[in-house]
Amino acid sequence: MKNFNLTIFLLLFYTISLFAQFGVRTDLISIETYQSFDKVYPGTEFKVAAEVKVAEGWHINSDKPYDEYLIPTSLTIVENSNFKVKQVVYPEPHDYKFSFSDSPLSVWEGTIYQGVLIEVDSNALPGVYPLVVKMQYQACNDMSCQAPTSITDTLQIEVANKTSPVNSVNGEIFDKIKLTFTETAVESEESSDPISSALESQGLLLGLLLVFLGGLALNLTPCVYPLIPITVGYFGGQSEGSTTKLFMMGVLFILGLAVTYSAIGVITSLTGAVFGALLQSPIVILIIVAIMLALSLSMFGLYEFKLPDSIVNKAGGAKAGLFGAFFMGLTMGIVAAPCIGPFVLGLVTYVATKQDPYFGFLLFFVLAVGLGTPYLFLAVFSGKIKNLPRAGEWMDAVKHIFGFILIGMALYFLLPLLPDTFSAYVLPVFMIGTAIYLLFFEKLANSVKGFRIFKIVFSVLIMAVGVYALIPSETNSVDWKPFTEDALTEITGKGVIIDFYADWCIPCKELDALTFSDPQVIELSKQFETYKADMTKALSPEVENLRNDFNIVGVPTVLILNANGEEIERITGFVNAQEFYKLISNVD
């Protein structure tokens, strides 16, 4: 016992002397902290990891040293009302024999990883809060010990509302720490995102089936409407031959659509760009318009759209239409991309959380295949029109009609680039002009009575639609004001409605035409401050700031805030007037 006490005395004396002469060396221990999510929700849990590096030749005591006189290492969080420590875990220590001790000591050397499980206060308001991680320790080598001290590192934790996507980060660090969430926290996290929880719980095959069905459901949204006339126009004029070839063309069309759509989806989820933002680029719009016009001109016999014969021969005699169908699908993937809704939003969030681009590509690929499957049958049906009896002039006349459809779609995509003063007249005038041409100048197949009747009825219908569109009308709507950076600072005891829209967004136009023009919605909206936020130029700094401030993944997105400026509802995609009225009528 005397020898033991003497050892302790000599060790402490040497340590105090060393400290008095040279002070505590701060270069012996370094700490760097990491968080498990880029944002956190109120009432949920997140992990913090501390990477501690101990200088070579030195060690620190473990959290449970063998002797009472030794200073244990402890990891704590400096008091913060928004965060509460739930659990602290340390790595396994090692026993080492040092010259100053008769028995081994429990210590750590080199690089170690410690973890803390933290609960966010359920009343924490959205914002960024500093989280100070503190480690108390005593560093020793084989001959001496430094005085007990501490080291800190600060994390900036963003508390977000539950409509904002949260991504897992620093996975390679947390894989080294045995730290798990509590069961209640896991259940709460799963329930807050039904799409993510469904995909996690169903397994890969059932999860892919769920995504496929979600893709089928996208056909009920307005932004896929342009695919219908394009598919009819293209396949109606390109098909020749058997049903098998038509089917193969349809499959390649879907594959092309899926490749583009899934690539856009993965880029969106991993970068945070607005879903479908490619259509804000004039260059992309002009390319789509050029493709539509090129295909339409081939319908009028100006040229034949096909691969060179040398390539066709090398491909084993494959028909030119197969290449065209795949290329057309690639283009239509951009057209379909603005389809944003709760399911797509959930999928974007899930892929962003996983941060696995290959897995994300697979999910969006299956989603796009589901979206495109109905167009496989539409392609076969449209193509079979040319196999009806009495080919020749009949065939050419049908191709001309499909050519006009494709020109009309080219003009439709060109509208966002045209001045507002006459853009509303472009399509109606084109429809009237097309009807006049088909009625009085198109003579092909007039000898076929059935086709002549069809052409007359078709022409009269599109002329009537065109004339109706030109009739001036006063359409009532919600009294929108342009959204500015200072808009939310001007709230005067009212709730707020913010409509994030883009000129290229078809569901946005549907909301304006069918929902925001409803008399009941207009009347109730007077109780709110109503703003429109223009997201058309998705790559501009102004829109980038809007996207980051409000976590906008795609358009349309409508935010409903209460009188305190707190978000209480987020609407993605098109909703009808009745549903929208019900949502805003519940705002206090």
Side-chain angles (χ1 to χ4, degrees):
M1 177 63 74
K2 290 183 179 181
N3 291 337
F4 181 71
N5 291 334
L6 179 62
T7 299
I8 296 175
F9 173 77
L10 292 174
L11 175 62
L12 293 175
F13 176 78
Y14 189 83
T15 297
I16 294 172
S17 300
L18 186 68
F19 175 65
Q21 296 178 46
F22 303 107
V24 176
R25 288 186 56 185
T26 58
D27 60 337
L28 297 177
I29 308 296
S30 65
I31 183 173
E32 186 170 0
T33 53
Y34 304 87
Q35 60 198 74
S36 58
F37 300 114
D38 60 348
K39 306 181 194 70
V40 296
Y41 297 143
T44 62
E45 295 175 347
F46 69 100
K47 302 174 186 177
V48 168
E51 182 183 57
V52 180
K53 294 183 178 180
V54 182
E56 184 176 358
W58 292 78
H59 65 267
I60 59 176
N61 296 317
S62 72
D63 60 309
K64 295 178 180 178
Y66 295 142
D67 298 313
E68 294 182 358
Y69 70 89
L70 297 174
I71 306 299
T73 297
S74 65
L75 191 68
T76 59
I77 302 298
V78 175
E79 185 176 352
N80 190 315
S81 60
N82 291 305
F83 306 109
K84 177 184 177 182
V85 174
K86 296 287 294 290
Q87 183 184 1
V88 180
V89 295
Y90 299 95
E92 289 293 327
H94 299 283
D95 288 355
Y96 287 98
K97 180 69 171 62
F98 297 97
S99 60
F100 58 78
S101 176
D102 295 332
S103 58
L105 303 180
S106 176
V107 299
W108 291 309
E109 294 181 322
T111 300
I112 63 171
Y113 294 91
Q114 305 172 349
V116 185
L117 182 64
I118 299 175
E119 182 180 30
V120 185
D121 187 86
S122 58
N123 296 319
L125 297 177
V128 178
Y129 301 93
L131 182 70
V132 181
V133 181
K134 180 179 180 181
M135 188 185 77
Q136 294 176 304
Y137 68 95
Q138 184 176 33
C140 300
N141 61 14
D142 194 31
M143 299 296 297
S144 64
C145 287
Q146 293 273 293
T149 186
S150 64
I151 188 171
T152 62
D153 193 30
T154 302
L155 288 169
Q156 298 297 327
I157 306 298
E158 180 179 354
V159 178
N161 57 56
K162 290 201 173 183
T163 58
S164 304
V166 171
N167 303 316
S168 296
V169 292
N170 303 315
E172 70 283 357
I173 297 293
F174 288 94
D175 287 343
K176 302 173 183 179
I177 303 172
K178 295 180 180 180
L179 184 63
T180 59
F181 295 107
T182 61
E183 292 185 6
T184 55
V186 173
E187 291 171 1
S188 174
E189 185 68 22
E190 289 181 349
S191 63
S192 66
D193 187 356
I195 302 300
S196 297
S197 60
L199 290 172
E200 290 286 358
S201 61
Q202 297 299 324
L204 181 60
L205 291 179
L206 289 178
L208 292 178
L209 177 60
L210 173 65
V211 172
F212 177 81
L213 294 176
L216 284 176
L218 285 181
N219 287 284
L220 302 176
T221 61
C223 50
V224 298
Y225 293 167
L227 292 181
I228 298 174
I230 292 172
T231 305
V232 171
Y234 176 73
F235 285 95
Q238 289 291 319
S239 61
E240 291 178 2
S242 66
T243 302
T244 302
K245 185 200 169 185
L246 287 172
F247 184 83
M248 286 301 301
M249 289 176 65
V251 169
L252 288 172
F253 176 82
I254 293 175
L255 289 177
L257 183 150
V259 167
T260 302
Y261 191 89
S262 52
I264 292 173
V266 172
I267 292 171
T268 296
S269 59
L270 296 182
T271 64
V274 174
F275 199 72
L278 277 179
L279 282 180
Q280 70 92 27
S281 169
I283 295 176
V284 173
I285 292 176
L286 290 175
I287 290 174
I288 293 175
V289 170
I291 292 172
M292 296 291 103
L293 291 176
L295 291 173
S296 67
L297 293 177
S298 71
M299 300 293 179
F300 293 104
L302 187 63
Y303 53 83
E304 187 176 359
F305 185 75
K306 69 174 186 177
L307 288 171
D309 292 338
S310 59
I311 297 179
V312 172
N313 292 334
K314 289 180 180 179
K319 299 294 183 180
L322 298 179
F323 167 78
F326 180 74
F327 182 74
M328 193 65 178
L330 289 175
T331 306
M332 290 306 97
I334 301 175
V335 175
C339 293
I340 187 71
F343 188 87
V344 177
L345 179 63
L347 198 63
V348 168
T349 303
Y350 180 68
V351 172
T353 301
K354 288 295 184 182
Q355 292 191 313
D356 184 343
Y358 301 105
F359 181 64
F361 186 89
L362 174 64
L363 290 182
F364 273 99
F365 188 88
V366 173
L367 181 77
V369 170
L371 168 67
T373 295
Y375 296 93
L376 171 63
F377 301 99
L378 182 61
V380 173
F381 172 77
S382 302
K384 296 302 288 184
I385 292 177
K386 283 182 61 180
N387 290 331
L388 293 175
R390 302 192 61 164
E393 285 191 351
W394 157 275
M395 182 184 297
D396 291 334
V398 170
K399 288 178 67 175
H400 289 179
I401 292 176
F402 291 143
F404 282 119
I405 292 175
L406 290 174
I407 292 175
M409 293 309 302
L411 292 175
Y412 172 82
F413 286 109
L414 191 63
L415 291 180
L417 303 183
L418 301 178
D420 294 337
T421 52
F422 68 90
S423 62
Y425 303 102
V426 172
L427 275 179
V429 170
F430 171 75
M431 296 172 72
I432 295 172
T434 299
I436 293 174
Y437 177 84
L438 292 176
L439 284 173
F440 301 107
F441 299 97
E442 177 67 80
K443 304 297 183 181
L444 290 176
N446 278 347
S447 59
V448 181
K449 183 178 179 180
F451 176 72
R452 186 172 70 251
I453 294 173
F454 165 77
K455 186 171 68 171
I456 292 173
V457 173
F458 176 77
S459 301
V460 170
L461 283 175
I462 63 171
M463 180 180 289
V465 173
V467 170
Y468 178 79
L470 289 176
I471 299 175
S473 61
E474 294 185 6
T475 303
N476 294 324
S477 181
V478 173
D479 184 18
W480 298 106
K481 292 175 287 188
F483 184 82
T484 63
E485 292 183 0
D486 301 326
L488 296 184
T489 63
E490 302 170 0
I491 299 177
T492 57
K494 287 186 175 182
V496 179
I497 300 174
I498 310 176
D499 174 31
F500 294 85
Y501 77 99
D503 290 342
W504 42 261
C505 167
I506 298 173
C508 300
K509 298 174 183 178
E510 293 281 317
L511 279 172
D512 285 331
L514 303 177
T515 302
F516 299 145
S517 62
D518 182 81
Q520 285 186 307
V521 171
I522 294 173
E523 186 62 29
L524 188 57
S525 70
K526 295 177 182 178
Q527 302 177 19
F528 295 81
E529 298 284 353
T530 52
Y531 298 98
K532 270 189 175 291
D534 190 353
M535 307 287 285
T536 300
K537 297 180 179 179
L539 304 180
S540 68
E542 296 80 11
V543 173
E544 181 74 7
N545 291 336
L546 280 176
R547 183 186 65 79
N548 291 330
D549 291 344
F550 294 95
N551 298 295
I552 304 301
V553 176
V555 288
T557 296
V558 181
L559 299 188
I560 303 174
L561 315 180
N562 62 19
N564 297 321
E566 300 170 341
E567 180 181 330
I568 60 173
E569 191 68 49
R570 177 176 292 239
I571 303 169
T572 54
F574 173 79
V575 294
N576 60 40
Q578 183 179 3
E579 185 178 352
F580 187 78
Y581 180 86
K582 184 185 301 183
L583 289 172
I584 63 175
S585 62
N586 294 326
V587 178
D588 296 327

